Amino acid sequence: MSETPDETATAGAAAEAGAAPTIGTAPASGAAATTPAPMKIDAKLGLDVFKLDKEPHIVIDHEICRTVCAKKVCLTVCPADLYELDDSGDVIVNWEGCLECGTCLICCEPQALSWKYPRGEYGVQYRTS
Amino acid sequence: MRIVVCVKTNYDLQMVRVKGREPVLEALPYKVGDLEKNALEAALQLREGGLECTIVALTVAEANAKVKETMKEALALAADEAVVVNDPALAATDQAALAAAIAKAIEHTGGADLVLFGEGSTDNYSGLVGSRVAELLGLPQIGYARSIAVADGAVTVERSMDDMIETLQAPLPAAVTVVSEINEPRVATLMNIMKAGKKPLTELSLADLGLDAGAAAPQKAVLSNLAEEQDRKHIIIEGDAATAAAGLVDALVKEGVLGR
Amino acid sequence: MEKVDVIVVGGGLAGLSAAYGLAQAGLEVMVLERGDYPGAKNVTGGRLYTSVVRDLYPELWEGAPFERAVTREAISMLADGRMATFEIAAEEFGGRRPQSFTVVRAKLDQYLAERTGEAGGMVIPKMKVDALLTEGGSEASGAGGGPGASGADGGPGASGRVIGIRAGEDEIGADVVVVAEGVLGLLSSEAGLRERPAAADTALGYKEVIELPASVIEDRWHLNPGEGAAQLFMGSVTKGMMGGAFLYTNRESISLGIVVGMEQLRSRPDELESWQLLDELKTSPAVAPLIKGGEVIEYSAHAVAEGGIAKVPRLLGDGYVMVGDAAGLSLNALITVRGMDFAIASGYHAAQAIAAAKAAGDTSAAGLAGYERALRESFVLKDLQTAAKVPALLENQRLFTHYPEAVTKLMADIFTIGPGPTEKLSKTGFGGVRRSFLNLATAKDALSFRKI
Ligand SMILES: Cc1cc2nc3c(=O)[nH]c(=O)nc-3n(C[C@H](O)[C@H](O)[C@H](O)COP(=O)(O)OP(=O)(O)OC[C@H]3O[C@@H](n4cnc5c(N)ncnc54)[C@H](O)[C@@H]3O)c2cc1C
Ligand SMILES: Cc1cc2nc3c(=O)[nH]c(=O)nc-3n(C[C@H](O)[C@H](O)[C@H](O)COP(=O)(O)OP(=O)(O)OC[C@H]3O[C@@H](n4cnc5c(N)ncnc54)[C@H](O)[C@@H]3O)c2cc1C
Ligand code: SF4
Ligand code: SF4
């Protein structure tokens, strides 16, 4: 009988494939002699606590993105890099890793976003910021 | 009828940060254990189903302001009153001593017709406390409850087993431990939180229960509970899908995992 | 409808400072905070100027969980792979009454919440407010009532008196609602009490918290135990955009982050992504040694109010006051942000004014007007007024490109011994100064700097 009482999870989307075909041994953490490569944004988000609601708190009106938006700034302004294009070229947001800064809401000129704070008990919970 | 829900006030495990190999427990928030929320919701649903009852939330813990705050959450969720057995001696105890304190506290505060537990606590999950309390109080106990009905002085419980659902009945008073499928606990509403502040919360020490500090002394000691340390190979294979796949196969062959 | 004296929407520094004062005054006050605990949703750079708020709640600051007293200040200019740092350590920064401390919000906000609880206030976390209620039984709607210049000349535009809040299904009334919801102002703009923040008046701030042993921090920044450093970076770090980077030393971690104007961020022609700025800073040869061996333990982001006094909405109306970031009370002093001291002071003055209004039995705009008067007499509106020219100045690109380039070039010239004959120092130095600083544009900048 396996019950998993704590079902909430930390967010973190799949890591993308790298570019150069190399096989190497990663340096043991902390002991790198040269400047280490920057941490992937997913790894940074993996350090945060996210309590996931079932419903997204950001909903995109795709019709507006498709028809009115010339410059898709959401793809570049988000400090968590959560916006991307799906296979059909629509803008999607991986709201699970949202830092709740509101930058996308403020920067999206055509106002395609319905953006609320997550309900109480959900969303990011900072411990040391 | 009196329903006692035993609630463990847990650290919010999701908030734990690990430094070195030790958890950082400083300033960690508490919360009502997950399955205990299900147990509270189950009690509430029994009442909403027409059962006349008083719901009591009971916890046993070391003296700590956060424990009382957390019990207000239990009051906001379902309970009419709360009992906190609050004693510094409980800072280090074990399931046997804890169960003894719970049993005594139930006897001391008016008894119970139905005692509800989580099947296991959110952190330790030893699944011992419910059975031990039932034994000490001489109650029939039913575990893994996925539904509870009360009628005619008996409780009927569907148990969620690996390959079947078992339905059992026991005369009241009885003890039942619940699993998460039993319900979807509601979140506390603002009005209920405001009311919770005004509900009675009784604090008892071990001495109030006629127990001395020695009663809380653990009979076993946890020497270490770290996950096994594993040596990783730190091999990173990069490249586009085809190159990476080939690299992975090579590496696995070299490690003796594949082929030969 | 259930009713209390005062509801505070948002348990940040502004809301909690108001609630603490109200609880002390014996009012029934309830703080509603959406985070798991106060501070769970909050991000700051890291430095609180206690010099300006110390006298407001003197008893609070003694035991407050501050990180380090800032005794060492540095500004680093970055350009073309060069970094020039100006540093000052001054005894007057520290001593028995340090002028500023580094802070961690999760700790500081919870501390204030605990003190508020002890004083008799009720702080309810995990509780999001869904709407402000206005008279007429309706939820305030966005119609009409834009913000005017700051002036207590009436209620919230088209909507009536603020009478309470809604959270989920529950509506709770209050004589006064303290709007302390922070920079995004979602509820207050919905209710017509202010405008939604515009990209031109808002910056994105984000940071990493990087763990380092206390001894390493003290060695690396030349600090005595318990003392801290603040280091600001400007120049190529924001690629010409308004903003900069900050580094604050906490007890056993540092906060390293970026503040960058949203308008400039979103109107960039290239594909630069906001989060890349910090990675570039961290890996630059001049900065990498500062964080070497550190372990990142948290990544956070938040908006920063940068509109200045021109964007401060009406501060109060019938049944409500606005405090802290929700009222745009935050000051962008060139590259540092001051908002926490403003939040605390506005909360304090709101509490005093509300207590007086309650005692006088008038919680209309007229009854609450003492709040705005007090802010005008305090550093809050005075400093914002003094800095009125700053937002416009900050849009001046030269500040973030030309000057860092000129200064770092000048310093590099001074210290460079090339393969050929060395130019006379006076020539190098003066040539650089003349080329970079003595022209019409810089003269105009100098004039506008003087007005800060
Ligand atoms: C805040 C707190 C801190 C503690 N710290 C320590 C410590 O540092 N070292 C130590 O040795 N022991 C500590 N204990 C006490 C004790 O060891 C554990 O509570 C005990 O081991 C319970 O076992 P379990 O969690 O595996 O319970 P399980 O048997 O898995 O729990 C099953 C059910 O029993 C009930 N239950 C469990 N615990 C309690 C409780 N405390 N009060 C009421 N009902 C309960 C709940 O309904 C729960 O769902 C602490 C207890 C608490 C509450
Ligand atoms: C990166 C960065 C660096 C900064 N650096 C500094 C600095 O070094 N020094 C300085 O003085 N200032 C600095 N600031 C500014 C400063 O942090 C803010 O001005 C300050 O936090 C404002 O406090 P506040 O209480 O008004 O708002 P907040 O701290 O934002 O508090 C608002 C609270 O309301 C809650 N809330 C919002 N909506 C709801 C709702 N609907 N229901 C319930 N609760 C709600 C939020 O969860 C939050 O707790 C910085 C800001 C940033 C982002
Ligand atoms: S900026 Fe706004 S409108 Fe444009 S693509 Fe992004 S979400 Fe859609
Ligand atoms: S609120 Fe901030 S973190 Fe969340 S999606 Fe928008 S920009 Fe990204």
Side-chain angles (χ1 to χ4, degrees):
Chain A
M1 190 74 34
S2 81
E3 280 291 326
T4 320
D6 217 4
E7 286 169 338
T8 39
T10 31
E16 314 98 77
T22 48
I23 299 181
T25 304
S29 69
T34 52
T35 308
M39 206 172 164
K40 284 229 168 74
I41 199 88
D42 288 343
K44 294 187 192 182
L45 295 179
L47 301 169
D48 293 341
V49 176
F50 293 101
K51 299 199 170 172
L52 301 187
D53 204 348
K54 295 188 179 75
E55 298 285 309
H57 63 286
I58 306 175
V59 179
I60 305 174
D61 183 338
H62 294 291
E63 201 46 41
I64 296 183
C65 306
R66 281 184 214 124
T67 54
V68 206
C69 187
K71 188 169 184 226
K72 300 188 167 12
V73 296
C74 54
L75 297 173
T76 57
V77 296
C78 172
D81 199 17
L82 298 174
Y83 283 82
E84 59 187 13
L85 298 175
D86 71 6
D87 292 341
S88 58
D90 275 337
V91 169
I92 54 167
V93 56
N94 300 300
W95 57 273
E96 296 89 341
C98 178
L99 303 175
E100 300 169 28
C101 65
T103 305
C104 52
L105 172 70
I106 295 174
C107 289
C108 167
E109 222 152 355
Q111 304 201 357
L113 300 179
S114 123
W115 192 107
K116 326 176 272 208
Y117 284 130
R119 289 189 291 161
E121 300 203 45
Y122 293 101
V124 70
Q125 311 287 343
Y126 296 124
R127 294 168 293 184
T128 59
S129 280
Chain B
M1 163 161 179
R2 206 169 158 83
I3 302 180
V4 174
V5 182
C6 294
V7 172
K8 183 167 179 181
T9 48
N10 276 110
Y11 285 123
D12 184 343
L13 292 186
Q14 231 198 315
M15 297 292 224
V16 179
R17 192 166 69 79
V18 176
K19 185 174 176 177
R21 296 191 70 208
E22 295 289 327
V24 183
L25 299 181
E26 184 205 347
L28 213 55
Y30 279 37
K31 64 174 204 177
V32 170
D34 294 322
L35 291 181
E36 287 91 304
K37 279 194 183 164
N38 293 105
L40 285 163
E41 175 71 28
L44 193 60
Q45 287 185 9
L46 284 174
R47 173 154 66 201
E48 286 171 350
L51 184 71
E52 247 177 68
C53 59
T54 302
I55 303 172
V56 183
L58 166 72
T59 196
V60 177
E62 58 179 309
N64 182 330
K66 284 189 189 168
V67 169
K68 270 200 277 177
E69 269 315 301
T70 311
M71 288 309 278
K72 289 213 183 114
E73 197 180 330
L75 287 169
L77 286 169
D80 303 302
E81 51 187 90
V83 176
V84 179
V85 180
N86 200 347
D87 201 298
L90 291 161
T93 184
D94 66 4
Q95 291 90 339
L98 188 80
I102 292 177
K104 275 271 193 262
I106 291 175
E107 284 172 350
H108 189 86
T109 53
D113 300 293
L114 182 62
V115 189
L116 297 182
F117 299 86
E119 183 57 40
S121 65
T122 310
D123 51 3
N124 280 356
Y125 211 86
S126 69
L128 284 173
V129 172
S131 314
R132 283 181 174 275
V133 172
E135 177 65 22
L136 290 170
L137 294 176
L139 304 179
Q141 187 226 340
I142 306 178
Y144 301 114
R146 69 193 286 276
S147 81
I148 303 177
V150 172
D152 308 324
V155 57
T156 308
V157 172
E158 280 183 0
R159 308 180 69 206
S160 181
M161 309 304 284
D162 270 340
D163 48 0
M164 62 173 162
I165 290 166
E166 191 177 46
T167 308
L168 294 181
Q169 196 173 60
L172 295 175
V176 177
T177 61
V178 309
V179 292
S180 67
E181 1 164 354
I182 191 167
N183 53 43
E184 175 85 23
R186 280 164 270 189
V187 292
T189 65
L190 177 54
M191 207 68 102
N192 286 340
I193 292 173
M194 289 173 72
K195 285 187 193 141
K198 292 171 190 134
K199 290 180 182 174
L201 186 149
T202 313
E203 257 187 282
L204 300 168
S205 65
L206 288 176
D208 292 334
L209 300 178
L211 297 168
D212 57 22
Q219 289 161 34
K220 62 177 189 229
V222 179
L223 301 181
S224 163
N225 60 357
L226 294 178
E228 199 183 334
E229 206 158 353
Q230 283 181 327
D231 222 8
R232 304 275 174 195
K233 296 236 151 117
H234 296 292
I235 298 173
I236 295 176
I237 299 165
E238 290 175 3
D240 60 35
T243 333
L248 178 61
V249 171
D250 282 353
L252 290 174
V253 169
K254 220 168 101 197
E255 290 296 322
V257 182
L258 278 187
R260 252 194 244 271
Chain C
M1 183 159 66
E2 190 92 9
K3 188 168 161 292
V4 295
D5 290 340
V6 183
I7 293 174
V8 178
V9 179
L13 290 179
L16 291 167
S17 300
Y20 175 74
L22 289 162
Q24 275 190 324
L27 269 65
E28 186 185 17
V29 54
M30 183 165 82
V31 182
L32 303 176
E33 165 56 46
R34 65 191 187 91
D36 270 16
Y37 43 82
K41 301 285 185 179
N42 300 344
V43 182
T44 197
R47 176 235 297 270
L48 168 65
Y49 282 99
T50 41
S51 47
V52 284
V53 296
R54 183 180 281 117
D55 294 338
L56 300 185
Y57 293 124
E59 74 285 2
L60 268 187
W61 312 119
E62 283 307 318
F66 294 138
E67 296 291 312
R68 289 170 181 271
V70 180
T71 56
R72 208 169 259 271
E73 307 273 354
I75 293 188
S76 297
M77 299 210 173
L78 296 157
D80 310 321
R82 306 186 182 107
M83 175 163 100
T85 298
F86 302 85
E87 188 178 331
I88 177 164
E91 277 177 29
E92 76 234 42
F93 293 162
R96 268 196 53 246
R97 315 182 89 205
Q99 71 156 354
S100 70
F101 289 91
T102 54
V103 301
V104 166
R105 290 296 296 272
K107 288 191 209 166
L108 184 61
D109 293 20
Q110 282 191 83
Y111 167 80
L112 275 182
E114 280 161 23
R115 297 291 87 77
T116 302
E118 285 164 13
M122 181 157 44
V123 182
I124 302 180
K126 304 182 185 177
M127 184 56 63
K128 180 182 142 189
V129 177
D130 292 305
L132 302 175
L133 302 177
T134 50
E135 212 152 36
S138 68
E139 276 173 24
S141 78
S150 177
D153 50 6
S159 33
R161 181 188 174 93
V162 175
I163 55 169
I165 59 96
R166 181 173 64 77
E169 306 282 293
D170 294 337
E171 297 189 347
I172 312 285
D175 289 331
V176 183
V177 174
V178 176
V179 182
E181 59 173 331
V183 53
L184 298 186
L186 297 178
L187 302 178
S188 44
S189 56
E190 185 69 21
L193 309 186
R194 57 166 280 181
E195 279 173 358
R196 283 175 52 164
D201 308 320
T202 321
L204 160 64
Y206 65 97
K207 72 174 185 182
E208 288 178 8
V209 179
I210 302 172
E211 203 164 54
L212 278 172
S215 59
V216 171
I217 290 174
E218 283 154 13
D219 288 350
R220 221 167 262 185
W221 280 273
H222 315 295
L223 301 164
N224 296 309
E227 291 180 349
Q231 186 166 3
L232 302 164
F233 303 85
M234 60 188 298
S236 54
V237 55
T238 53
K239 301 194 183 300
M241 294 181 284
M242 166 174 129
F246 57 83
L247 185 160
Y248 293 105
T249 58
N250 303 319
R251 274 170 207 267
E252 296 191 330
S253 65
I254 59 170
S255 297
L256 178 65
I258 303 274
V259 174
V260 58
M262 285 191 193
E263 184 56 50
Q264 301 194 348
L265 192 59
R266 77 169 173 184
S267 50
R268 278 188 81 84
D270 59 13
E271 303 276 279
L272 177 95
E273 302 195 27
S274 62
W275 52 272
Q276 293 170 330
L277 295 173
L278 185 54
D279 286 344
E280 285 188 27
L281 178 72
K282 283 176 70 183
T283 49
S284 69
V287 173
L290 294 177
I291 54 172
K292 192 174 155 221
E295 192 191 337
V296 182
I297 58 172
E298 192 158 79
Y299 183 63
S300 54
H302 204 274
V304 186
E306 300 214 310
I309 192 141
K311 293 294 150 68
V312 173
R314 187 172 290 143
L315 288 165
L316 57 94
D318 293 334
Y320 80 93
V321 300
M322 314 260 300
V323 293
D325 272 7
L329 299 176
S330 151
L331 190 150
N332 187 337
L334 285 182
I335 43 175
T336 75
V337 179
R338 271 176 69 189
M340 291 190 282
D341 48 343
F342 286 60
I344 291 168
S346 60
Y348 170 87
H349 289 299
Q352 311 306 310
I354 292 167
K358 272 288 287 179
D362 178 7
T363 53
S364 70
L368 293 166
Y371 169 53
E372 185 169 338
R373 275 199 302 277
L375 283 194
R376 285 198 184 287
E377 282 158 26
S378 79
F379 73 92
V380 175
L381 287 179
K382 282 189 176 148
D383 285 8
L384 273 176
Q385 194 66 55
T386 312
K389 294 274 179 352
V390 169
L393 174 72
L394 286 180
E395 280 159 25
N396 183 338
Q397 295 260 337
R398 278 188 299 284
L399 199 61
F400 302 100
T401 52
H402 177 78
Y403 292 116
E405 279 165 15
V407 170
T408 51
K409 174 81 169 56
L410 174 65
M411 296 286 284
D413 283 353
I414 292 173
F415 290 108
T416 301
I417 306 295
T422 309
E423 283 189 76
K424 251 179 37 193
L425 187 60
S426 62
K427 198 168 165 205
T428 325
F430 189 68
V433 171
R434 195 173 48 199
R435 272 197 308 280
S436 306
F437 294 108
L438 300 183
N439 57 46
L440 189 61
T442 55
K444 276 201 211 140
D445 286 350
L447 279 175
S448 55
F449 279 134
R450 279 208 341 225
K451 294 186 195 134
I452 301 173

